[in-house]
Amino acid sequence: MDTIASCSALIDRFGRRVSYLRLSVTDRCDLRCSYCMPKGFKGFEEPGNWLRFEEITRVVAAFSRMGVGRVRLTGGEPLLRRGLPQLVSQLAALPEVQDISLSTNATQLQKHANSLRAAGVRRINVSLDSLDRACMEKITGRDSLAGIMAGLQAGKQAGFDPIKLNMVVMRGVNDHEIARMAQFCFDEGFILRLIEAMPMGDTGRNSQYQDIGPLREQLVRQFDLLPSAAELGGGPARYWETRDGKGKLGFISPISQHFCASCNRVRMAVDGTLYMCLGQEQKFELRPLLRAGIGDAELEQAIRAAIELKPERHEFNERRQQIVRFMSQTGG
């Protein structure tokens, strides 16, 4: 394997610097959230096509040499991938990787929180769409709330900071719970982020989309919130905070107020496919190159070629039917 010196930053055709890699380690999940994966879905990737830990580390090392310092582990549910702390340790040892975070549904977090924290994960995002047991069972397909709550407490005790709760807002499903969820997060020291459902696959298109703009105005008034200048992870959320600065709310509005002009990320699926945009089909497959013995210099060239495919913006509003893959297949 050849070695090379650090290279210049990854800049796409539209002048955006790519500094953030979202990395799926599995497409499996122990839940079936209604907006993410359909019930009875069987089209999972064969384990033989999953990138091995050493292959993932090579790809992340290549990205990091080109200025990508943030890595988020996603799925499916990433805690279903055996030996995940080992991968985290390998990534944390890369000198250019500055931040390793994790997106999880937290059902398995109670078992793994301490080992992940020790390996190098510092921040976690937890999917939690309701505080009502029956509602969560309807959304996730199983009685999941107690396990998630136990995972959240384990995450706090392990020292993850911040812990963000991601709530996909669905009209007529959980939109009546938003104020309650906000107060829960203020009380527990979590950061709530309200997210608009994206029309990915039939599951995403069938979720009850809710524009979060009016909800933001309502919450700003109710909790006397102020715009926040805090940079919390390099993502697209726009934050507001309580007057004492102790409570924060984030709003992610990919449909009603897209943030494509500042998009700084790409996603890699568990099989090594790079996806340039959630709302477009451009992709680049790295696994065949890795298993053919590609060198480091050629791997960086391949990644740069992939970045050239990154589109200017999604077309969720104009072409809602075009993305047939589910969110779980892309990497959250």
Side-chain angles (χ1 to χ4, degrees):
M1 186 184 303
D2 57 325
T3 58
I4 54 178
S6 297
C7 295
S8 58
L10 281 174
I11 308 293
D12 74 6
R13 293 175 296 150
F14 305 98
R16 298 169 298 195
R17 179 175 178 175
V18 176
S19 58
Y20 188 2
L21 175 64
R22 295 181 66 98
L23 174 63
S24 175
V25 296
T26 181
D27 58 349
R28 269 58 167 184
C29 190
D30 54 345
L31 302 181
R32 292 293 183 272
C33 294
S34 56
Y35 50 82
C36 184
M37 188 190 302
K39 293 179 181 179
F41 178 71
K42 303 293 185 182
F44 297 108
E45 188 61 63
E46 290 295 327
N49 290 334
W50 295 1
L51 289 195
R52 299 182 288 269
F53 284 176
E54 60 268 26
E55 293 171 325
I56 293 173
T57 302
R58 278 199 70 201
V59 172
V60 174
F63 269 101
S64 70
R65 288 191 297 268
M66 295 181 284
V68 177
R70 295 185 185 275
V71 178
R72 175 170 293 276
L73 303 175
T74 71
E77 171 45 52
L79 299 187
L80 296 183
R81 181 76 183 256
R82 291 183 180 179
L84 188 61
Q86 175 189 342
L87 174 62
V88 174
S89 295
Q90 292 174 201
L91 300 182
L94 298 172
E96 298 91 349
V97 172
Q98 304 161 354
D99 178 63
I100 301 175
S101 55
L102 174 80
S103 291
T104 176
N105 63 30
T107 59
Q108 310 291 320
L109 189 58
Q110 190 173 19
K111 294 184 292 186
H112 301 293
N114 289 328
S115 59
L116 288 166
R117 183 69 175 79
V121 174
R122 294 293 176 261
R123 305 182 296 109
I124 60 173
N125 289 6
V126 174
S127 297
L128 182 62
D129 297 318
S130 174
L131 295 172
D132 179 83
R133 179 179 175 181
C135 186
M136 278 297 287
E137 185 169 1
K138 179 181 178 182
I139 292 171
T140 68
R142 55 171 274 204
D143 187 3
S144 57
L145 184 60
I148 294 171
M149 289 299 185
L152 281 171
Q153 292 307 311
K156 286 180 69 172
Q157 293 170 10
F160 294 115
D161 184 33
I163 296 176
K164 302 174 186 175
L165 299 193
N166 289 344
M167 180 180 186
V168 176
V169 181
M170 292 168 280
R171 186 180 66 257
V173 177
N174 63 352
D175 53 336
H176 63 288
E177 284 194 71
I178 293 173
R180 179 188 176 196
M181 184 73 82
Q183 189 62 60
F184 168 75
C185 290
F186 293 157
D187 293 343
E188 292 289 333
F190 303 138
I191 297 173
L192 175 63
R193 304 186 333 154
L194 303 176
I195 304 174
E196 292 176 345
M198 287 177 279
M200 294 188 63
D202 291 338
T203 52
R205 283 187 286 274
N206 291 336
S207 59
Q208 288 77 11
Y209 168 76
Q210 171 68 58
D211 181 344
I212 63 173
L215 300 176
R216 180 178 61 246
E217 296 174 5
Q218 176 184 331
L219 291 166
V220 166
R221 291 193 301 269
Q222 181 172 350
F223 293 103
D224 193 22
L225 302 177
L226 301 171
S228 174
E231 196 281 319
L232 298 171
R238 298 174 175 92
Y239 289 97
W240 293 69
E241 62 185 25
T242 56
R243 287 190 176 271
D244 61 8
K246 295 181 180 180
K248 290 184 174 60
L249 290 180
F251 300 87
I252 301 179
S253 52
I255 308 302
S256 66
Q257 191 178 6
H258 73 78
F259 34 82
C260 301
S262 59
C263 183
N264 63 347
R265 69 200 53 205
V266 294
R267 290 168 168 82
M268 187 168 76
V270 65
D271 66 350
T273 301
L274 291 174
Y275 288 100
M276 305 301 115
C277 174
L278 284 177
Q280 299 283 8
E281 291 288 3
Q282 287 89 343
K283 63 183 180 180
F284 192 102
E285 296 183 4
L286 291 179
R287 188 185 75 246
L289 301 178
L290 292 166
R291 297 192 176 172
I294 191 173
D296 285 347
E298 290 78 16
L299 178 57
E300 290 191 9
Q301 291 172 3
I303 291 172
R304 290 187 183 278
I307 298 302
E308 286 295 302
L309 301 176
K310 189 170 173 63
E312 185 174 14
R313 60 183 297 269
H314 70 66
E315 294 180 313
F316 282 137
N317 292 321
E318 299 90 344
R319 302 171 65 193
R320 290 178 60 83
Q321 304 299 319
Q322 76 165 336
I323 303 299
V324 297
R325 67 181 186 273
F326 304 114
M327 178 67 83
S328 61
Q329 296 172 299
T330 306

